[in-house]
Amino acid sequence: KIVVSSSWRMHGLEYVKKMLKDNGVNGEVIGITPNDKPQSREHHIQEYLDKNKDIDKFVILDDDHMDVLKSHWVKTNKYIGLTSAEADKAIEILK
């Protein structure tokens, strides 16, 4: 299941679902992180997690830096996207 914290979220959930589907992402998009405060993406992710206590496993795929949530973070390259090695790391985090 996917929760999006990308800047795409500013266009709304339906837009995000369409963009991901159009780009070959087949996972179920279940939400977007809040963006109502001028804070870091990491803060918005934490806010989403705080409101959705049933989430026990998650991975963050992002080219931005994470401090508090770094044990769940896989750094990606914004010019390349997700590599096989990064995907393997993400799977390990979810195990």
Side-chain angles (χ1 to χ4, degrees), residues 13-86:
L13 182 58
E14 293 308 312
Y15 175 85
V16 168
K17 287 180 178 181
K18 181 179 179 342
M19 288 301 294
L20 289 174
K21 183 178 179 184
D22 290 352
N23 284 282
V25 176
N26 297 317
E28 179 186 0
V29 180
I30 62 168
I32 54 179
T33 60
N35 189 35
D36 54 349
K37 300 172 188 140
Q39 295 166 323
S40 72
R41 181 171 294 159
E42 184 174 31
H43 179 87
H44 292 147
I45 294 168
Q46 186 63 62
E47 186 177 341
Y48 186 90
L49 291 167
D50 291 345
K51 289 180 181 177
N52 294 274
K53 300 282 187 192
D54 59 323
I55 298 172
D56 58 344
K57 293 183 180 183
F58 66 95
V59 65
I60 302 165
L61 306 172
D62 205 320
D63 61 347
D64 201 8
H65 184 76
M66 299 289 146
D67 289 315
V68 176
L69 299 172
K70 66 183 169 189
S71 64
H72 298 273
W73 173 51
V74 175
K75 182 170 177 49
T76 59
N77 182 305
K78 65 182 173 182
Y79 300 110
I80 297 171
L82 185 66
T83 65
S84 294
E86 293 160 352

Side-chain angles (χ1 to χ4, degrees), residues 4-12 15-16 33 35 41 62:
V4 176
S5 65
S6 138
S7 58
W8 286 0
R9 73 189 189 281
M10 294 177 206
H11 299 287
Y15 175 85
V16 168
T33 60
N35 189 35
R41 181 171 294 159
D62 205 320

